[in-house]
Amino acid sequence: MTHANAVPRPPDPATLQAVRGRFLSLNQERLKRTREALGEPQRLFLDLIPLLFHINDPKLPGFFSELAPAAIPDYRPSPAILDAARALHPGFDYTHKMLRAYRIRALFLMGSAGSIAQSPASDLDFWVCIPPNLEPRDLEALMRKCWLLEEWAATLGVEAHFFLVEEGEFRAGLHGVVTDESSGSAQHHLLLDEFYRTAQLIAGHPPAWWLVPPERERDYGAALEDLIRRGVLEREAVVDFGGLGRVPPGEFYGATLWQLYKGIDAPYKSLLKILVMEGYAAGYPDGELLSQRLKRAVWEESDASADTLADTLDPYLLMGRYVEEYLAARDEQERLELARRAFYFKVGEPLADAHREENPRRRRLRAITQGWGWDTPHLRFLDSRCGWKADRVMEERRALVGAFIAGYRRLSEFGRRHGEAMAIGQGDLALLGNKLHAAFERKAGKVELINPGISDRLAEEALSIHRLGGPLGTWSLYRGTVDTARREGREPLRRTRSLVELLAWCHYNGLIGADTALHFHPHDDRPADREVSAILRYLEQTAPAGSLEGGSLDELARSPRVLRAALFVNVALDPLAHHTRRGIQIASARNDPLRFGSQEENLVVSCDLIAVTSWREVLTFRHTGETALLDALCEYLGWAPPHRGEAPPQLEVHGDTSPRSQLLARRLEGVVGEVVAHYYGAREGAAQGRYLIRLGRAHYLLWVEGEALHYERHDSHQELMARLAAPAARYSPLAADPRTLDDTPLPTLFRRDQAGRIQLFYQPLGPLARVYVLDERGSLFHQEVEYRSDAVLLSHFERFFFSVLPRRHYVQGLPSSDVLDDEVAYHRIDRDPDGRWQITPVQPKAEPPHRRYFNLQVIGERAGTGQSLFTLYCDEREFSSLEYGEGLFRAVAAHILARRADGERYPLYITDVDIGQLLSGEGGGEVQTIHFLNYKKRIEERLNEQLSGLP
């Protein structure tokens, strides 16, 4: 009697020899089926692969270097293979040699090859098993040889992939990083499970796993060591990738993500694998993996022929039956039917086609579908999949995505329930997550790609597009010719806010072909043909047949960026419709589309931005109203925040269909170009800059905060100037649209702005002069002052800067001696005969000796109640709020007027301001020159107001 927990008796040598023989027979039968399913060129490739890894011969494909590891143990090419090699190169000669070292331990083919699911389009995945500790140069040579062989395979119509595998590294879970063909750290045991049930030994040593008894899977390592210790198995005569004792719960999550990633392009194949993992998780920890089922059958079916074993242990039949058992037990009929469709499509044998040549795969598949109860009409429907149209494709996609998400949720919950860490590296997790985010996440304006390999052609003979709700309403799409009367009760294929989004959805999903007729309803509100043609022409030129660039793993490892973008303005809208309806035609010398006509109307009433990202997402954004252009600009620049230093791609602008179309497009392209040049140029502080533009009757100031562009509206010139005079936390260069403030010198002044420098500009206007000061952080001071001469005006401001700049440095904690001689620059503004602004540098001169100005200093402080108190000194005479209260400024004005010999009432000017205490409570960052100038101006206005009111 044997104890329940006793270790099973190890197999004797005869048993092991018999099992090995059955595995090799099954292997040979599957290799035979693989070859039979290939065309002649592909068969040649498969036959020659072991020879090409056995030797390095410059006459044969794949040769890179003699350094490339070669030689496979126990491999001797047949005469037929040598003849095939000579056919490639008549000069090839082969001599069998006994070698001291074999540097390719084994060569395997894994995947659907040799199974019912193998088709002419199936790729061939090879594992090239290498010894440990290869020199880096040798490993590099072998990798290059593999790449060359993949290129040669492509010339023969074969998609081949070679993976270099070192047993010890694989057992340790080192799988490299995620690539389009490799799951990286996403799975280990589950990948090994797939390998053991699908792998075919092409040449070299067999897997040790074959020879470890099924009941010893949980203590695989000890069982293998026991066989070696007893001398029934030589360690060097096998390759050991490890056992499948227990799949860590955390691995299911990474493996599910990997299959979802693969499912974006091959949904049916991935669905079956996700369902297998669901079944594994449901039976955890006592369930049996498919590879273990296969192994047990080979060990136990001692009398079965290789042909019978190849039929019953076909890897895809094993998988299909397992999924059926799992879903039937859960009574999930909808997902069961979807899984059956996935299996049928993966096999790829259309059974309704009676003219196809009969073969074993068709006979086996027909027996399976008859067991499912599928009749000929249903098979005919499935076989027409390549011609399914958008409505059916969307229905199928919803079913597939729903099944994916259900599987993902169940396996995620399984992982959380068992409380183990996810068996996937953070880098790979982020990579796969980004791909899934791009493919499956829904968001406003995103063009959903509905056809992940379901149908071959979605193009329609006719499509009907209906506009609902007037000019700013919605758009609906119908298959065929559907007029307004026939629309009732029919569900549209798609509803969107904009025509651009609808046409983009049609284009990228392939609904519009060269012969597709588009019917618009209602007819009296349809867009112009040339407008629709312009949109479709752009889409076809930038993405022929809806093809999308980007999406590489390198791109997915980075944040998404826009690869190309276009702006469509006023699509299907007339910005002057309110005039047209009244029979008014607008003609004006003011032809700026942003301030058009005598009413200064902004003709941009809608903007549709379409962008394709590096993650293969197509995004559309619709903005309407007065600020449509600015909203589109914010969206566009948001994909390339200025602080990153990488400008967005050029934005193509397409105007409406009016006679002003080209004018509008050129104008907006100019605006976009100016904004991009400002924020991404070499100018210091560009990323924190501001931009000013006028739309209609309002000015808009743009600025960057965080990673986003923002704007604010200013309805009057006074309001704008006050905003520009506000202190700034840091230097913020300002630029203006060339047609904004074009009747002032300000755009010209802004171009001269420099960080850390104060610049004064003055424009004489008869008895007055306009004074502008750009301070060290780009804040703009503006004041109109009495003008007597350049010398008088400049000497007054020079005295003021001489007094306050050392104080500003002191408040900032800098030595007052840090004031530089050239910290303030002075310029005169004039206009040449052509109306162009001329800026001339000037130097302050001494004031006329006959005129003496009083020194007028202001000191401000904050009382305990929060009230501002001022003390003014006029040539050392003190006037304080504490003494005069509200009459302070009147008292100072009266004192100065009394001391003027001629009694003139020319303006009073402050020569010094000390307001450190007041500024400490204002916030807004460090003290800057604009603070002193603003206080100077406000107090001067109050003094001069009192002066003019004196008797």
Side-chain angles (χ1 to χ4, degrees):
M1 181 174 179
T2 303
H3 192 276
N5 293 324
V7 177
R9 291 183 59 187
D12 55 54
T15 299
L16 279 186
Q17 190 65 25
V19 167
R20 177 190 174 100
R22 287 199 292 276
F23 267 113
L24 288 174
S25 295
L26 172 61
N27 189 77
Q28 288 305 114
E29 177 62 27
R30 292 187 59 203
L31 277 173
K32 174 186 165 204
R33 295 184 180 190
T34 299
R35 292 185 78 258
E36 290 172 348
L38 296 174
E40 190 58 40
Q42 296 87 358
R43 195 177 301 144
L44 170 70
F45 173 79
L46 181 62
D47 288 345
L48 285 177
I49 281 299
L51 174 65
L52 299 178
F53 279 99
H54 189 61
I55 60 174
N56 285 314
D57 193 304
K59 303 181 186 70
L60 297 181
F63 177 80
F64 174 74
S65 165
E66 292 286 354
L67 293 174
I72 307 175
D74 302 325
Y75 174 72
R76 294 194 67 171
S78 68
I81 289 176
L82 294 177
D83 287 343
R86 293 187 189 101
L88 286 178
H89 197 290
F92 169 71
D93 187 35
Y94 175 80
T95 302
H96 177 69
K97 301 176 183 177
M98 294 297 293
L99 301 174
R100 295 177 60 187
Y102 294 90
R103 305 181 74 196
I104 303 296
R105 291 185 42 74
L107 187 63
F108 294 93
L109 173 64
M110 70 168 290
S112 61
S115 75
I116 192 174
Q118 182 182 357
S119 71
S122 296
D123 55 2
L124 301 179
D125 291 340
F126 295 91
W127 280 23
V128 183
C129 302
I130 57 176
N133 303 320
L134 283 180
E135 292 291 334
R137 63 174 187 171
D138 296 349
L139 186 60
E140 173 70 16
L142 184 58
M143 292 173 62
R144 289 184 176 273
K145 181 173 186 173
C146 290
W147 296 338
L148 291 172
L149 288 173
E150 290 177 357
E151 292 176 357
W152 178 55
T155 68
L156 301 175
V158 178
E159 184 179 347
H161 307 282
F162 294 91
F163 302 93
L164 301 183
V165 184
E166 195 277 297
E167 304 156 60
E169 289 185 352
F170 188 92
R171 289 195 302 272
L174 303 177
H175 303 289
V177 298
V178 167
T179 69
D180 287 325
E181 300 300 331
S182 169
S183 56
S185 66
Q187 53 189 332
H188 174 78
H189 292 79
L190 295 170
L191 174 62
L192 193 56
D193 171 49
E194 182 181 1
F195 173 80
Y196 281 148
R197 72 174 184 262
T198 68
Q200 301 171 55
L201 176 64
I202 304 296
H205 295 312
W209 180 82
W210 284 0
L211 304 178
V212 174
E215 61 272 14
R216 298 293 303 276
E217 199 68 54
R218 292 296 173 92
D219 62 333
Y220 169 89
L224 179 59
E225 290 301 320
D226 184 51
L227 292 174
I228 294 170
R229 186 177 60 255
R230 290 173 48 235
V232 296
L233 182 64
E234 293 182 25
R235 188 184 302 276
E236 292 303 315
V238 291
V239 290
D240 178 24
F241 298 115
L244 290 168
R246 177 179 176 270
V247 181
E251 192 171 304
F252 288 102
Y253 183 82
T256 303
L257 279 182
W258 171 247
Q259 290 306 326
L260 285 172
Y261 169 86
K262 299 291 284 185
I264 292 168
D265 301 312
Y268 294 113
K269 177 180 177 181
S270 290
L271 174 64
L272 291 172
K273 292 187 176 182
I274 287 176
L275 290 171
V276 166
M277 286 187 287
E278 263 195 63
Y280 285 172
Y284 185 86
D286 300 319
E288 194 172 45
L289 304 180
L290 288 176
S291 58
Q292 293 168 337
R293 283 191 178 188
L294 179 146
K295 184 182 191 178
R296 186 176 297 280
V298 174
W299 273 72
E300 294 176 353
E301 298 290 335
S302 57
D303 297 329
S305 68
D307 186 65
T308 300
L309 281 176
D311 281 346
T312 58
L313 299 181
D314 180 297
Y316 266 83
L317 287 176
L318 279 175
M319 182 165 60
R321 286 196 293 266
Y322 183 88
V323 168
E324 280 199 273
E325 292 169 9
Y326 167 68
L327 294 175
R330 297 178 62 90
D331 195 26
E332 292 192 46
Q333 292 303 313
E334 188 174 332
R335 284 213 299 168
L336 175 58
E337 195 62 25
L338 179 62
R340 287 171 172 170
R341 288 201 302 275
F343 183 89
Y344 182 75
F345 292 145
K346 180 65 181 112
V347 174
E349 283 285 351
L351 296 181
D353 186 354
H355 301 292
R356 278 198 173 236
E357 181 182 350
E358 199 66 14
N359 60 49
R361 290 174 67 239
R362 287 175 65 79
R363 286 193 292 272
R364 280 185 283 160
L365 184 60
R366 183 174 287 108
I368 292 170
T369 58
Q370 287 172 350
W372 293 341
W374 286 5
D375 56 17
T376 300
H378 186 64
L379 289 172
R380 193 174 293 117
F381 166 70
L382 295 181
D383 291 349
S384 69
R385 175 171 71 107
C386 62
W388 284 356
K389 295 304 179 184
D391 46 0
R392 174 65 189 120
V393 166
M394 287 193 291
E395 182 182 340
E396 185 76 348
R397 183 183 184 275
R398 280 192 292 269
L400 286 166
V401 172
F404 283 154
I405 299 305
Y408 171 75
R409 286 175 177 166
R410 286 177 183 173
L411 288 164
S412 299
E413 175 58 32
F414 168 81
R416 287 193 294 271
R417 189 167 63 247
H418 286 272
E420 285 198 10
M422 295 179 292
I424 178 173
Q426 288 301 311
D428 292 344
L429 178 64
L431 203 58
L432 297 179
N434 290 346
K435 177 77 171 182
L436 298 176
H437 171 94
F440 295 123
E441 190 197 35
R442 288 194 179 104
K443 49 190 172 187
K446 181 176 177 178
V447 174
E448 187 177 48
L449 303 180
I450 65 172
N451 187 24
I454 298 173
S455 175
D456 289 348
R457 191 170 186 271
L458 296 186
E460 296 283 353
E461 292 183 2
L463 291 168
S464 297
I465 299 175
H466 291 247
R467 175 188 264 183
L468 306 175
L472 296 178
T474 60
W475 299 80
S476 296
L477 176 73
Y478 298 85
R479 288 185 61 205
T481 304
V482 179
D483 59 22
T484 303
R486 298 173 57 196
R487 190 182 70 216
E488 295 301 322
R490 297 187 61 166
E491 185 68 19
L493 288 176
R494 184 73 177 165
R495 292 187 183 92
T496 63
R497 289 181 58 217
S498 80
L499 179 59
V500 171
E501 181 183 351
L502 190 66
L503 293 177
W505 186 86
C506 290
H507 176 76
Y508 283 101
N509 285 301
L511 272 71
I512 298 179
D515 301 321
T516 303
L518 298 180
H519 303 283
F520 286 87
H521 302 276
H523 291 290
D524 58 354
D525 196 22
R526 59 171 292 156
D529 290 340
R530 63 174 180 167
E531 191 170 28
V532 175
S533 297
I535 298 171
L536 294 176
R537 186 165 53 250
Y538 166 80
L539 294 172
E540 181 61 26
Q541 287 173 350
T542 55
S547 61
L548 281 171
E549 57 186 296
S552 69
L553 291 175
D554 286 343
E555 292 284 10
L556 289 168
R558 305 170 52 192
S559 297
R561 58 191 178 88
V562 170
L563 297 179
R564 60 178 181 272
L567 189 68
F568 293 88
V569 182
N570 299 341
V571 171
L573 291 172
D574 178 6
L576 296 175
H578 55 294
H579 295 301
T580 306
R581 284 193 298 269
R582 294 158 52 198
I584 301 174
Q585 297 298 319
I586 302 296
S588 172
R590 186 183 291 278
N591 62 357
D592 180 358
L594 303 183
R595 298 165 58 195
F596 187 76
S598 59
Q599 298 299 309
E600 298 191 80
E601 294 185 68
N602 177 9
L603 299 188
V604 178
V605 296
S606 79
C607 285
D608 287 283
L609 179 67
I610 181 168
V612 177
T613 77
S614 55
W615 286 10
R616 298 184 81 241
E617 290 182 293
V618 181
L619 306 171
T620 63
F621 308 92
R622 179 166 178 77
H623 301 286
T624 59
E626 177 76 17
T627 61
L629 173 61
L630 301 183
D631 294 326
L633 262 178
C634 291
E635 197 78 58
Y636 168 65
L637 295 189
W639 285 90
H643 72 83
R644 297 183 188 174
E646 184 178 349
Q650 182 177 355
L651 182 66
E652 291 188 35
V653 180
H654 299 264
D656 54 32
T657 59
S658 70
R660 301 169 298 277
S661 174
Q662 290 303 311
L663 176 68
L664 179 64
R666 286 196 302 271
R667 177 72 170 100
L668 297 195
E669 281 180 350
V671 169
V672 174
E674 287 274 344
V675 171
V676 170
H678 178 60
Y679 281 106
Y680 302 89
R683 187 176 184 182
E684 183 178 351
Q688 291 84 40
R690 295 164 294 161
Y691 191 84
L692 184 64
I693 188 169
R694 183 168 179 177
L695 303 178
R697 293 172 175 265
H699 289 93
Y700 292 85
L701 186 65
L702 285 65
W703 78 97
V704 174
E705 185 174 315
E707 296 205 341
L709 184 68
H710 302 268
Y711 63 84
E712 61 188 18
R713 174 177 175 140
H714 298 283
D715 289 312
S716 69
H717 185 76
Q718 292 75 14
E719 181 184 333
L720 172 66
M721 296 304 288
R723 177 65 179 87
L724 297 180
R730 57 180 178 265
Y731 175 65
S732 179
L734 178 62
D737 166 60
R739 299 198 196 181
T740 296
L741 297 176
D742 52 355
D743 55 347
T744 77
L746 287 175
T748 306
L749 308 189
F750 296 150
R751 287 193 290 271
R752 293 171 168 264
D753 190 16
Q754 296 179 46
R757 196 162 193 220
I758 301 164
Q759 297 187 83
L760 182 145
F761 305 85
Y762 65 97
Q763 179 187 5
L765 298 170
L768 297 175
R770 286 200 183 113
V771 175
Y772 304 96
V773 178
L774 281 167
D775 83 351
E776 66 279 3
R777 291 191 197 146
S779 296
L780 175 70
F781 173 77
H782 169 249
Q783 185 179 20
E784 285 195 355
V785 300
E786 181 185 77
Y787 178 72
R788 293 174 178 258
S789 69
D790 289 2
V792 171
L793 184 147
L794 294 178
S795 64
H796 143 230
F797 276 98
E798 186 184 32
R799 287 201 311 276
F800 177 77
F801 289 131
F802 180 81
S803 300
V804 302
L805 291 187
R807 187 168 289 116
R808 190 201 75 197
H809 283 240
Y810 174 78
V811 173
Q812 292 177 349
L814 301 172
S816 59
S817 59
D818 280 359
V819 179
L820 304 176
D821 291 340
D822 63 347
E823 190 165 351
V824 183
Y826 300 89
H827 309 270
R828 178 182 169 115
I829 305 171
D830 296 287
R831 258 185 160 166
D832 66 16
D834 295 324
R836 293 187 295 260
W837 297 104
Q838 298 291 318
I839 309 296
T840 307
V842 295
Q843 289 294 330
K845 298 178 181 179
E847 62 186 76
H850 64 276
R851 182 173 297 277
R852 179 180 177 275
Y853 292 94
F854 296 107
N855 287 317
L856 186 56
Q857 181 186 25
V858 178
I859 296 177
E861 58 184 320
R862 199 172 299 281
T865 59
Q867 181 183 5
S868 297
L869 301 177
F870 292 99
T871 301
L872 277 72
Y873 292 89
C874 180
D875 278 348
E876 305 308 319
R877 168 73 186 273
E878 179 181 312
F879 296 84
S880 170
S881 296
L882 296 175
E883 179 180 357
Y884 293 97
E886 293 296 324
L888 170 65
F889 297 110
R890 184 179 181 85
V892 173
H895 171 75
I896 294 175
L897 181 61
R899 296 197 58 190
R900 288 179 176 172
D902 51 9
E904 286 189 80
R905 298 186 182 230
Y906 51 85
L908 303 176
Y909 296 111
I910 293 171
T911 57
D912 188 11
V913 172
D914 182 358
I915 48 173
Q917 269 199 31
L918 296 180
L919 295 179
S920 65
E922 289 194 358
E926 296 177 347
V927 174
Q928 65 185 95
T929 304
I930 195 72
H931 287 107
F932 296 95
L933 287 167
N934 286 337
Y935 267 99
K936 172 184 184 296
K937 180 180 177 180
R938 289 200 294 268
I939 295 173
E940 283 177 353
E941 287 174 348
R942 295 183 66 178
L943 283 171
N944 287 313
E945 180 183 346
Q946 295 297 324
L947 181 64
S948 64
L950 290 173

